[in-house]
């Protein structure tokens, strides 16, 4: 039985610009929180966050996309946001996160999904696309990648991984601030810190960078290679919308465009003056790019 902590609800009482109703689902004894905004019958947009953020990252985008006529689903990964947080780092693995999200998709029976993914949202979301291709209609990838461990990772990533594992106190809000081009407000930084009352809640946030495959024999490498075999045949619409100021994922958009057939003839864009967390820096602009992408690529 996985031991976990649940962040007290009062930690989220005064969040800035986050007026969304909470929803919860049980995943093998763990409670996952998610947002579900818009009409239940509207086309689904699934927004997946990464490390060490949570669905708060999408707060600028959600109302715009919802009001354009879509149903926005934005879960908090296990270990993050309002979702339960296993306290042992050993309880987190790449495979466990894929399994939790697969269970989530199946319980909600989401279909005709447009995926929006950034950071670990892509490492997980692209696995979902490859393993449940019938559920997805489109993909928008931003500042993310799908590593197999066969390529050398940037030095900036190695530094980040080592920092996350060893720093006595992981300053989540400050980490997000440092990875933005424009400094978030003090209230926003506090909101990113809110899920983590103390270090005992941060096992997932600490271990996540170490779960990225960096060697060919990593436990996640075979499944990611298999996912790439599917993506190399993916002909449904696939758009890249990377930012211009992210040293970790720079160039990943060109790799997607080279390898994935569905990227052909799409209006790929670079979000300027935005850092790694481009949803924080330029969320409104990314929302408009997303809406235009969906409208330009109606389902048959």
């Amino acid at each position: 039985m996985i031991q976990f902590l649940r962040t007290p609800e009062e930690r989220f009482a005064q969040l800035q610009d986050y007026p969304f109703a909470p929803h919860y689902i049980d995943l093998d004894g763990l409670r996952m929180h998610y947002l579900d905004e818009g009409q239940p019958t509207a086309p689904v947009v699934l927004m997946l966050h990464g490390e060490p953020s949570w669905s708060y990252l999408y707060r600028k985008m959600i109302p715009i996309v919802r009001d354009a006529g879509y149903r926005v689903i934005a879960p908090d990964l296990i270990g993050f946001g309002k979702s339960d947080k296993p306290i042992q780092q050993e309880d987190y693995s790449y495979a466990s996160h894929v399994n939790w999200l697969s269970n989530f998709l199946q319980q909600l029976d989401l279909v005709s999904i447009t995926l929006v993914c950034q950071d670990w949202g892509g490492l997980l979301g692209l696995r979902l696309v490859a393993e449940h291709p019938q559920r997805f209609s489109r993909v928008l990838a931003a500042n993310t990648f799908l590593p197999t461990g066969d390529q050398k990772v940037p030095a900036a990533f190695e530094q980040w991984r080592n920092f996350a594992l060893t720093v006595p106190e992981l300053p989540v809000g400050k980490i997000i601030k440092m990875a933005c081009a424009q400094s978030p407000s003090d209230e926003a930084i506090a909101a990113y810190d809110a899920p983590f009352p103390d270090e005992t809640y941060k096992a997932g946030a600490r271990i996540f960078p170490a779960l990225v495959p960096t060697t060919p024999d990593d436990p996640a490498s075979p499944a990611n290679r298999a996912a790439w075999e599917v993506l190399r045949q993916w002909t449904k619409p696939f758009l890249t919308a990377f930012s211009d100021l992210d040293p970790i994922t720079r160039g990943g958009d060109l790799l997607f465009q080279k390898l994935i057939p569905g990227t052909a003839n799409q209006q790929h864009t670079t979000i300027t003056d935005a850092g790694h967390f481009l949803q924080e820096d330029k969320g409104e602009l990314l929302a408009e790019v997303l809406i235009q992408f969906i409208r330009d690529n109606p389902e048959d």
Side-chain angles (χ1 to χ4, degrees), residues 4-9 29-31 82-85 195 197 201:
F4 63 87
L5 296 170
R6 182 170 293 171
T7 303
E9 190 60 35
L30 294 172
R31 191 178 76 166
K82 295 185 178 184
S83 292
D84 286 345
K85 299 167 183 68
Y201 289 77

Side-chain angles (χ1 to χ4, degrees), residues 12 15 18 49 52-57 76 80-82 191-192 195:
F12 305 103
L15 293 182
Y18 192 82
H49 73 84
S53 61
W54 58 294
S55 57
Y56 184 81
L57 181 67
D76 292 338
F80 298 84
K82 295 185 178 184
Y192 286 116

Side-chain angles (χ1 to χ4, degrees), residues 50-87:
E51 147 83 356
S53 61
W54 58 294
S55 57
Y56 184 81
L57 181 67
Y58 284 105
R59 72 194 181 283
K60 299 177 183 180
M61 298 178 62
I62 290 170
I64 297 172
V65 178
R66 176 198 62 203
D67 294 347
Y70 302 99
R71 177 188 178 191
V72 181
I73 307 287
D76 292 338
L77 300 177
I78 294 296
F80 298 84
K82 295 185 178 184
S83 292
D84 286 345
K85 299 167 183 68
I87 61 177

Side-chain angles (χ1 to χ4, degrees), residues 126-127 129-130 139 146 224 226-235 238 256 259-262:
L126 295 175
R127 280 279 299 274
V129 168
V139 177
L146 185 63
N224 280 15
W228 267 113
E229 291 304 310
V230 176
L231 293 172
R232 285 189 177 95
Q233 308 299 321
W234 181 266
T235 58
F238 192 113
F256 286 135
L259 297 179
I260 299 177

